Amino acid sequence: TASRPTSLYAKTKRTAEKELLRSPDTIILRLASVFGVSPSMRTDFLLNYFVHTAKTKKSIVVLNNNARRNYVHVADVADWIIYCIENPDKHIGKIKYLAVDNLSKVELAIKIKEHINDFSLEFLNGQDKIDERSYRRVPKNDFEAIRSVNYGIQELIKSYG
């Protein structure tokens, strides 16, 4: 799939990837939005943030409702890295993608509501002009992520208490 970077960050990242691919034994791993419990967990990643906010503030405000994100669990990322190290011939010289689910922000918030029902949900479409990114599903590869967004939501709920 052709990459069409729009931000300066994405353009410079793509330029760096092209340069790295000139080196032998290089594998580029692109991750979807990572979620899940980990020792140094980030609550600013969208799924983690939404669950944390629903649990602690009893409210989620969704901006750019229809913007889509791809998601992948942190444990699937770790498993994938090990897989690539153990199977380098399948990956060297390639850009590989990993995602398990592709949801709009609205779909994600509604999915969280299925697990936590005691929070308010507000949709403010068009209010956020800072982040207008939206991603379509990424291509499949030979490693399959197995931990779904639903799994992550349940895991995060337990973690946040």
Side-chain angles (χ1 to χ4, degrees):
T1 301
S3 175
R4 292 185 224 31
T6 56
S7 68
L8 178 60
Y9 167 78
K11 289 174 184 175
T12 56
K13 185 171 95 169
R14 182 66 184 129
T15 299
E17 288 173 344
K18 285 180 178 179
E19 187 63 32
L20 286 170
L21 286 173
R22 293 181 190 182
S23 302
D25 302 329
T26 298
I27 304 168
I28 305 289
L29 303 179
R30 288 189 184 168
L31 306 177
S33 295
V34 178
F35 66 87
V37 175
S38 67
S40 59
M41 185 165 60
R42 292 188 51 185
T43 56
D44 59 329
F45 288 168
L46 188 63
L47 194 152
N48 292 6
Y49 173 75
F50 272 9
V51 173
H52 184 261
T53 303
K55 289 290 289 178
T56 60
K57 297 189 176 168
K58 304 293 183 197
S59 174
I60 295 177
V61 176
V62 181
L63 305 173
N64 282 343
N65 300 346
N66 296 317
R68 300 189 74 79
R69 297 287 186 271
N70 295 305
Y71 299 94
V72 65
H73 192 279
V74 65
D76 282 324
V77 172
D79 290 345
W80 188 42
I81 291 169
I82 292 167
Y83 176 78
C84 288
I85 291 169
E86 292 174 346
N87 300 279
D89 294 342
K90 294 181 178 182
H91 308 287
I92 288 175
K94 296 179 182 168
I95 297 174
K96 305 297 280 191
Y97 304 83
L98 186 63
V100 70
D101 288 313
N102 177 280
L103 301 168
S104 71
K105 290 181 178 183
V106 168
E107 291 167 335
L108 178 63
I110 291 169
K111 202 170 269 290
I112 292 167
K113 192 77 165 160
E114 293 170 4
H115 297 274
I116 307 170
N117 57 14
D118 63 340
F119 73 92
S120 65
L121 193 50
E122 184 177 0
F123 302 103
L124 298 176
N125 200 26
Q127 300 298 314
D128 182 11
K129 296 298 180 196
I130 296 169
D131 184 1
E132 295 179 348
R133 297 168 297 162
S134 188
Y135 302 100
R136 56 191 157 81
R137 181 165 296 280
V138 296
K140 294 281 184 195
N141 69 47
D142 58 322
F143 179 87
E144 186 175 342
I146 59 171
R147 294 163 185 95
S148 69
V149 164
N150 279 326
Y151 172 88
I153 293 169
Q154 292 169 348
E155 177 188 57
L156 288 162
I157 289 168
K158 288 177 191 171
S159 172
Y160 294 141

